[in-house]
Amino acid sequence: LRGSWKLPRKSHRKRNSAETERFIREIVALLEELSIPDDREIHVLVEDEHRYGLISVIRRCWTMKGHYPKAIHNNKYEWVYVYGALNLVTGKSDFIYTPTLSLEWSKEFVKQIVSTAPEAIHIILWDRAGFHPEILDEELSKSVRFLPFPAYSPDLNPIEPLWNVLKVEIANGLWDTLEDIETVISKALKP
């Protein structure tokens, strides 16, 4: 039957499959509705956030038969966040480390994105998190347009797999401080 053994991907019970399919089918029309001036360069970005901290990420690893690997872990409940955006036009990325997720930090990250190409219109695709602003100050509103993904549809966001790369880099490691883990994360994000 040509079957294969696969691990299902998690899907939220509140996900509206019809809304997700409509978004995929109509994304070009949704982008065209954003009222973008013809005389400006356009940058399209996908954005997401990731929490990391001192509690160890334990992952499977290769080992010889009969050997049972151990990963020393930490139970310190300290964490912070990294905002990330991938520019689908230029191929570049932007990141900012923050102590929390909030409207203020989201706006700071949007300002950072705009500063990379102030003359361009930045279309940002992101989820519908409560800390994502829908309205910006007048100056930023001239340069930014938002297009939210459908609710409970992280699989539509192309930046999501990046966070798995980070987890692989920090897996089975022991970190004494948040700065230690940020060094490893920064190195993984650099390429």
Side-chain angles (χ1 to χ4, degrees):
L1 297 172
R2 294 187 183 186
S4 64
W5 186 257
K6 292 186 178 176
L7 181 66
R9 185 170 188 170
K10 290 187 217 175
S11 182
H12 199 281
R13 66 190 295 188
K14 293 183 181 179
R15 179 185 175 120
N16 182 333
S17 296
E19 182 185 351
T20 302
E21 290 302 317
R22 184 188 65 76
F23 181 85
I24 292 168
R25 200 174 44 253
E26 299 176 6
I27 190 164
V28 173
L30 293 170
L31 288 167
E32 289 172 345
E33 291 174 7
L34 294 177
S35 68
I36 298 167
D38 293 333
D39 61 337
R40 302 212 21 214
E41 183 180 352
I42 298 172
H43 290 221
V44 180
L45 300 103
V46 290
E47 186 278 346
D48 198 32
E49 311 79 28
H50 180 68
R51 182 175 78 170
Y52 61 93
L54 297 182
I55 293 181
S56 302
V57 175
I58 306 297
R59 289 280 172 104
R60 293 178 182 264
C61 60
W62 288 101
T63 183
M64 301 296 291
K65 279 190 172 188
H67 177 74
Y68 297 98
K70 292 181 177 59
I72 298 172
H73 75 283
N74 208 344
N75 282 334
K76 289 184 184 175
Y77 289 91
E78 273 186 74
W79 56 82
V80 288
Y81 299 83
V82 58
Y83 281 75
L86 301 178
N87 190 321
L88 303 179
V89 176
T90 66
K92 295 183 178 179
S93 56
D94 281 290
F95 300 98
I96 187 173
Y97 295 106
T98 65
T100 187
L101 299 175
S102 66
L103 280 170
E104 292 76 24
W105 279 112
S106 295
K107 287 178 184 177
E108 283 302 311
F109 188 51
V110 169
K111 287 178 188 176
Q112 178 178 315
I113 290 169
V114 170
S115 71
T116 63
E119 70 291 342
I121 295 285
H122 302 269
I123 301 171
I124 301 174
L125 286 88
W126 58 12
D127 58 30
R128 297 170 187 259
F131 51 82
H132 287 162
E134 294 180 19
I135 300 170
L136 297 168
D137 60 45
E138 189 176 330
E139 189 61 37
L140 278 179
S141 295
K142 295 176 185 176
S143 300
V144 179
R145 307 289 186 277
F146 297 120
L147 181 59
F149 287 110
Y152 307 108
S153 300
D155 54 305
L156 295 181
N157 193 340
I159 197 173
E160 285 285 343
L162 176 65
W163 307 132
N164 287 331
V165 171
L166 291 186
K167 288 178 186 174
V168 167
E169 288 296 318
I170 64 173
N172 303 332
L174 183 64
W175 314 103
D176 293 322
T177 67
L178 291 170
E179 291 78 20
D180 292 344
I181 197 169
E182 282 177 8
T183 302
V184 174
I185 290 173
S186 294
K187 186 176 175 185
L189 292 175
K190 192 162 180 71

